[in-house]
Amino acid sequence: MASPLESLDPDLQCSICLDFYFEPLTLKCGHTFCRACLLQSTKLAPDGRSCPQCRALIAIADPLTHPADAVITASVAKAVPAAMIEQR
């Protein structure tokens, strides 16, 4: 039996963890990441304030408290079973 994530739209997948977005944050450069992925990648980056994908400056003051992207969150909720979202 195929996993529901095998047919998941690539636009709903984080390029860091390769899983569906969880608490997605979209940066001004247009790239989106899971909140935890963005926090971890910026923590490990030398300057700590650039997009992990294109290195553009991150304009979000505090990724920890910044609101998640509601449109992407709703799209993930439609495409991924609720049990999988809860588990994550």
Side-chain angles (χ1 to χ4, degrees):
M1 181 193 262
S3 164
L5 296 182
E6 287 178 14
S7 61
L8 184 65
D9 181 346
D11 290 337
L12 299 178
Q13 292 178 297
C14 175
S15 63
I16 295 176
C17 68
L18 304 176
D19 205 343
F20 61 87
Y21 288 121
F22 187 73
E23 297 184 357
L25 298 179
T26 301
L27 306 178
K28 276 195 172 186
C29 60
H31 294 118
T32 304
F33 306 95
C34 299
R35 182 184 312 275
C37 293
L38 182 62
L39 287 167
Q40 184 169 357
S41 69
T42 55
K43 180 179 172 183
L44 298 173
D47 66 359
R49 295 299 300 158
S50 61
C51 171
Q53 197 158 341
C54 71
R55 302 294 176 219
L57 184 64
I58 294 176
I60 293 174
D62 185 4
L64 191 59
T65 59
H66 191 78
D69 186 315
V71 173
I72 295 176
T73 300
S75 295
V76 167
K78 288 181 187 175
V80 177
M84 291 182 82
I85 294 172
E86 285 181 36
Q87 183 180 18
R88 185 136 183 238

